[in-house]
Amino acid sequence: MPTKTEKDAVTGTMTTGHEWDGIKELNTPLPKWWIYVFYATIVWAAAYYVFYPSLPWVRGIAGWSQRGELAEKLAAERERVRPMLERIRAMPIADLQRSAELRDFAFAGGRAAFADNCAPCHGAGGAGAKGGFPALVDDEWIWGGDLAAIQRTITYGVRSGHAETRTSQMPRFGADALLTPAQISDVAEHVLSLSGRSTNAAAAGRGKATYADQCVACHGDTGRGNPEQGGPSLVDQVWLYGSDKASIERSVYLGRGGVMPAWTERLDEATIKMLTLYVHSLGGGR
Amino acid sequence: MTGQAPDAVATETAVSRKIQRETEPLYINRIKVYSKAVSGPWRRVKWAVLAVCLTVYYVVPWLRWDRGPSAPDQAVLIDLPGRRAYFLWIEIWPQEVYYLTGLLILAALGLFLATSLLGRVWCGYACPQTVWTDLYMLVERLIEGDRNARMRLDKQPWSPGKAARKAAKHATWLLIALATGGAWILYFVDAPTAIGPILRGEGGAAVYVFIGLFTTTTYLLAGWAREQVCTYMCPWPRFQAAMLDENSIVVTYQKWRGEPRGKHKQGAGWEGRGDCVDCMQCVAVCPTGIDIRDGQQLECIGCGLCIDACDGVMAKVGRPPRLITWDTLANQEAKAKGGSGRFRLLRPRTIIYVTLIAIVALVMLGSLAMRATVEVTVQRDRNPLFVTLADGSIRNSYTVKISNKTWETQEFRLSVEGLPGARLSLADLPEGAAELTARPDAVATRRVFVTVPPGSPLRESTPIAFLAERRAGGETARHESVFLAPRK
């Protein structure tokens, strides 16, 4: 509680009358304009409430919003890059890769588009995932790894339902009773032998005939695969669904075939070109 | 006010200030300070420092420095859009902002040292607030006259003459403020090419916003706020007490010599009294309106104008000068007891400050001298950690960044050591050569693949090193990294 003001004996200054536990506050007065500035800030705050969105569900009469500002900035940015995108759209992709002027821009655009659209399945770094999400950083390509092939795969997708989609269908050899379990075991042993990993030469030999009947059309007689038809190579070290015998048997029994959307339905041509360039650069491009 | 002696006027304001302090409530009207013109050695020093400071401020943006054809040739330039700062031969990139930190540390330590030696000389002579306030006071004095004339003018009722003088003063103040704000912009743009458009009104909104901001603050702070900036706003007077001690040389009233003070009639003797004739000239010239005879106080900026004023009076009454002088509080105590006192410049405090300044300056000079103008950094990509290729090769990828701080294109040949049989290739260049090119004044970023053929004995993690050999000759930069492979 304020007590009486008095003159402090030591300093000769008056006190404010405020006292806490025997400690008294000296009165060193501020200039009046100082407190007027303080009042002005209160008025400013009140005006701020009126003009800007400060309370829930109240928009403020200035009509400003953070989201609106973001939309404006994005629109301005889109306007800024439009000529670049237009040039990218008009340029053949092989030229784009060699264009010192546009390559860095396209690469950055591709990286952003990849993070937005591709990373959920193929991984942020393009490493893919077990169980049907192919790695884009290695040099094994189911549907071809040159620029044109990648561009086509992204544009129309795989088993996407688009008229131009890439598609192949591996039969469900076991589930549809096309092969017996014994045949499946033998053909899996033969597939292992293609990459030099067979431990049962007799079984592998028995499987060879089945392979020649059922598999060569897509995977080729030496197992090198055929990117034209989406037949993956069976001789290399890259296995989308696992490389051990049980995994191979399972693939033969159930058949395999993942789905990738046709991105032409969601992305414009320039973005797809930038994505192509980026994916090509990840490490496996041919 | 007419008919009153100038000294009486001085007494009245000083006394009224004291009375107001004792009776007013928590907030008071500002007591306007009408500082009187004074001449003397310290006033001359203050003019000289003012002239030097203003010259430096206005001339520096116009100094040229040849950095080659494509680089800016302004000696001191902060290029915000280009994210570069230029100071003579030094070019600072944003990641080297610690040089600015170092400069600020040096400035702070310099201020500490100056304060522990000489009190608030920075406040009294070199602080922009003091320099511009002094300039504004000069303008005020030229237009409205000296102290008494200004006090009379303010008490007069409004008249065309008064309005004309006030208008002329504020117009001149605003012009100076505009020149101050305008010159500030020139540190951020190329002065000779930018000045034309700025004067023609084609400078762009941002430029005028900043000119307006600095114009307003200069006008308000130097014209209206003045000593209130030092008393109420500036933190420096609040913690200067930590740097000052009884051996700092400060502006001091020699109480032992001056007291007891009192009016002195011509011809009267000086026995039994002090030298102070209580003429109030020290108060009248003070730019912050204080009485130095009250001792050390927060408001004193240590400018020494009261010394000049008092010396003039002492000469007139025939007493020795320097009743108010530069001295230490310890000396004053000794002199009051009849001793002589001595100056102690070397004290633990000053020695520590000098040592710290030397250390920081040496570290900065050292890092500046050893600063690489072309920097190569190598970062391992972690997603994925490694890639198994179709033929069983293992590949790791790395991001190489070359910061080229020169104005020439720099070419490098990159190689890797520590992995027998490893092959190096560039990610996004079809040629696949390990040649890296960094354009002038830019950062080149390239992904690099290191591939180890199948069958090589590989541990999970193998230490390797990248060698970046400059094509133009000279140093080879070496960067340690690791090569990761799948667990066996």
Side-chain angles (χ1 to χ4, degrees), chain A residues 36 44 67 141 195 218 278 282 284 286:
Chain A
Y36 296 151
W44 177 273
R67 182 172 292 195
W141 295 89
S195 50
C218 293
Y278 179 73
L282 281 174
R286 292 174 187 202

Side-chain angles (χ1 to χ4, degrees), chain B residues 201-240:
Chain B
E202 300 158 5
V207 165
Y208 294 112
V209 164
F210 276 100
I211 291 181
L213 190 68
F214 292 114
T215 303
T216 315
T217 48
T218 307
Y219 172 70
L220 288 179
L221 296 184
W224 294 86
R226 292 193 175 171
E227 82 286 348
Q228 299 178 93
V229 173
C230 318
T231 315
Y232 300 118
M233 299 182 192
C234 182
W236 181 229
R238 312 275 153 178
F239 62 81
Q240 59 152 339

Side-chain angles (χ1 to χ4, degrees), chain B residues 33-297:
Chain B
V33 178
Y34 295 90
S35 60
K36 189 181 172 181
V38 64
S39 59
W42 299 110
R43 179 64 265 188
R44 281 196 292 279
V45 171
K46 206 157 145 64
W47 283 136
V49 176
L50 180 142
V52 169
C53 288
L54 288 178
T55 307
V56 167
Y57 180 67
Y58 285 107
V59 168
V60 162
W62 301 94
L63 300 179
R64 302 288 101 186
W65 189 273
D66 186 17
R67 291 190 186 84
S70 50
D73 63 349
Q74 186 150 318
V76 177
L77 175 70
I78 298 164
D79 179 5
L80 288 179
R83 294 183 177 83
R84 300 279 183 272
Y86 303 94
F87 181 77
L88 304 182
W89 66 96
I90 303 168
E91 181 190 336
I92 301 291
W93 285 30
Q95 62 263 42
E96 296 168 309
V97 76
Y98 46 77
Y99 284 114
L100 182 67
T101 312
L103 273 185
L104 291 175
I105 292 173
L106 274 186
L109 289 173
L111 202 52
F112 295 172
L113 177 65
T115 304
S116 66
L117 288 175
L118 297 169
R120 286 172 63 186
V121 278
W122 164 260
C123 304
Y125 291 89
C127 172
Q129 174 63 22
T130 275
V131 168
W132 262 266
T133 300
D134 221 13
L135 185 65
Y136 270 46
M137 284 178 171
L138 175 69
V139 169
E140 192 171 54
R141 201 173 296 135
L142 290 176
I143 294 174
E144 295 185 356
D146 203 6
R147 176 179 160 88
N148 293 319
R150 290 206 302 275
M151 293 170 91
R152 267 199 307 279
L153 188 70
D154 279 359
K155 292 212 167 151
Q156 274 170 17
W158 281 96
S159 67
K162 179 174 174 174
R165 277 169 185 269
K166 290 281 177 194
K169 177 179 83 174
H170 288 287
T172 316
W173 279 359
L174 279 169
L175 269 180
I176 294 173
L178 198 60
T180 308
W184 180 255
I185 296 299
L186 299 182
Y187 284 84
F188 296 86
V189 292
D190 184 56
T193 51
I195 191 77
I198 289 176
L199 291 180
R200 284 198 301 273
E202 300 158 5
V207 165
Y208 294 112
V209 164
F210 276 100
I211 291 181
L213 190 68
F214 292 114
T215 303
T216 315
T217 48
T218 307
Y219 172 70
L220 288 179
L221 296 184
W224 294 86
R226 292 193 175 171
E227 82 286 348
Q228 299 178 93
V229 173
C230 318
T231 315
Y232 300 118
M233 299 182 192
C234 182
W236 181 229
R238 312 275 153 178
F239 62 81
Q240 59 152 339
M243 284 93 213
L244 282 169
D245 57 24
E246 68 282 4
N247 287 308
S248 307
I249 302 169
V250 291
V251 178
T252 333
Y253 166 64
Q254 311 212 60
K255 208 168 186 170
W256 54 273
R257 210 191 109 185
E259 301 297 321
R261 65 181 88 156
K263 296 286 175 206
H264 182 260
K265 287 232 163 55
Q266 205 163 9
W270 292 91
E271 291 74 35
R273 58 157 297 157
D275 281 348
C276 177
V277 295
D278 211 10
C279 64
M280 287 288 181
Q281 288 306 304
C282 54
V283 179
V285 300
C286 180
T288 69
I290 57 161
D291 188 341
I292 189 67
R293 297 170 301 173
D294 293 345
Q296 293 299 303
Q297 48 208 297

